[in-house]
Amino acid sequence: MAKAKRPVFIFGNWKMHKTIDAAVQFVKDLIPLVENSSPQIYLAVPFTAIKPVSEEAKESNIVIGAQNMNDASEGAFTGEIAGEMLKNAGAKFVILGHSERRHLFNEDNALINRKVKRAIEDGLQPVVCVGETLEEREEGKTDAVLEEQLSMSLEGLTKEQMGDVIVAYEPVWAIGTGKRPVVEDIEKAHTFCREVLAKKWTKGVANGTPILYGGSVKPENAKELLKPADVDGLLVGGASLESEIFAKIVNYQTEK
Ligand code: 13P
């Protein structure tokens, strides 16, 4: 099937890596490597790097965002960060419900839903992650897990608000492991996510929502992973930490 008219998105998620200096240097190195590239390029950087990296990337085609935020607008929450602070520092988007947040920090769908709503209110584009564990996959529960996570994390959003949302399918067992589903299974999961969105909202909403794949993406597999019509982009962890490697993924069309 031909690709729908959605742009291709390549996201880097640096997780807890890079000082301010290293982050700024990365962006300086990346800009000339991707300035003529067609995908939309997004980098989710540590909180401390948002402002300096946004300034460095200001005239470029690279969009800077964050990896998490609190669901409250402000308050006595020691160590937490608010959407308004991220926005003010230069973030345009925020990753929410990443599997590391769900599993290591016990975030549930209800909390993620509150964060999504707060992010939209604060003018940040939410990138909402869903994905099954290996056990859930082996028990044949992948679709049920995806439906529950999508439905609950996005509960109560209007059609208009859905226009801001990006979904990322990241099977938990494929993150940082070098393992991943075969492309046919990734395609099935993406098509299923789109059906869930169509059922909960409308076909138009479903077709307008970018759905990214994440989990052990490398320059060698980017082209193959982006082939299915319902895969609109990639969310890259480990392979986003070096500018040359990440640039190869961004330039997947022209790389061998
Ligand atoms: P890896 O690309 O290192 O598998 O990580 C994927 C991920 O978690 C991106 O958010």
Side-chain angles (χ1 to χ4, degrees):
M1 204 170 85
K3 283 258 180 205
K5 280 205 189 73
R6 291 180 294 266
V8 172
F9 296 85
I10 307 291
F11 274 74
N13 173 14
W14 287 352
K15 309 189 179 182
M16 199 171 74
H17 295 282
K18 294 194 191 297
T19 60
I20 292 173
D21 291 352
V24 169
Q25 189 59 49
F26 176 102
V27 172
K28 277 193 176 134
D29 294 340
L30 183 67
I31 289 172
L33 301 176
V34 299
E35 60 192 350
N36 299 315
S37 310
S38 55
Q40 313 282 306
I41 308 164
Y42 286 63
L43 280 180
V45 307
F47 297 143
T48 46
I50 291 173
K51 190 169 172 66
V53 161
S54 298
E55 279 166 9
E56 193 63 43
K58 204 157 57 195
E59 308 291 325
S60 78
N61 53 344
I62 302 166
V63 181
I64 304 300
Q67 304 167 15
N68 181 34
M69 59 178 267
N70 194 270
D71 61 316
S73 60
E74 64 178 356
F77 303 108
T78 302
E80 289 295 295
I81 196 143
E84 191 187 5
M85 299 170 186
L86 301 176
K87 176 91 178 159
N88 184 246
K92 300 281 189 273
F93 72 94
V94 58
I95 295 177
L96 296 173
H98 189 279
S99 89
E100 286 146 21
R101 300 296 321 169
R102 290 179 185 267
H103 296 280
L104 302 174
F105 299 94
N106 298 321
E107 293 196 5
D108 61 14
N109 289 313
L111 173 61
I112 294 159
N113 181 241
R114 293 196 299 276
K115 291 187 178 197
V116 170
K117 288 177 175 160
R118 180 69 63 193
I120 294 173
E121 215 166 284
D122 289 338
L124 292 165
Q125 182 168 30
V127 180
V128 181
C129 303
V130 295
E132 81 288 359
T133 62
L134 189 56
E135 196 183 353
E136 288 163 343
R137 170 163 287 258
E138 283 170 350
E139 287 172 2
K141 291 184 184 157
T142 300
D143 284 0
V145 169
L146 294 180
E147 179 154 21
E148 180 175 278
Q149 290 183 346
L150 273 177
S151 181
M152 291 178 73
S153 303
L154 300 173
E155 182 59 40
L157 265 62
T158 64
K159 274 199 276 181
E160 288 65 35
Q161 289 174 322
M162 280 302 294
D164 282 337
V165 171
I166 293 180
V167 168
Y169 168 58
E170 295 204 306
V172 178
W173 54 279
I175 295 176
T177 59
K179 295 185 196 142
R180 60 169 174 83
V182 293
V183 174
E184 292 70 27
D185 284 347
I186 293 173
E187 183 170 20
K188 257 193 234 159
H190 280 236
T191 304
F192 179 75
C193 287
R194 214 175 287 290
E195 283 166 10
V196 172
L197 299 180
K199 201 162 69 176
K200 200 166 163 74
W201 286 275
T202 61
K203 258 203 156 125
V205 165
N207 288 334
T209 306
I211 305 180
L212 319 174
Y213 167 76
S216 296
V217 175
K218 304 275 176 279
E220 300 75 43
N221 59 25
K223 203 172 190 170
E224 187 196 1
L225 290 168
L226 282 165
K227 265 195 198 131
D230 278 322
V231 178
D232 303 309
L234 301 171
L235 179 49
V236 186
S240 73
L241 291 171
E242 281 184 40
S243 53
E244 282 186 16
I245 295 176
F246 186 61
K248 283 188 181 174
I249 298 176
V250 173
N251 296 323
Y252 70 99
Q253 279 168 312
T254 47
E255 283 291 321
K256 283 200 293 311

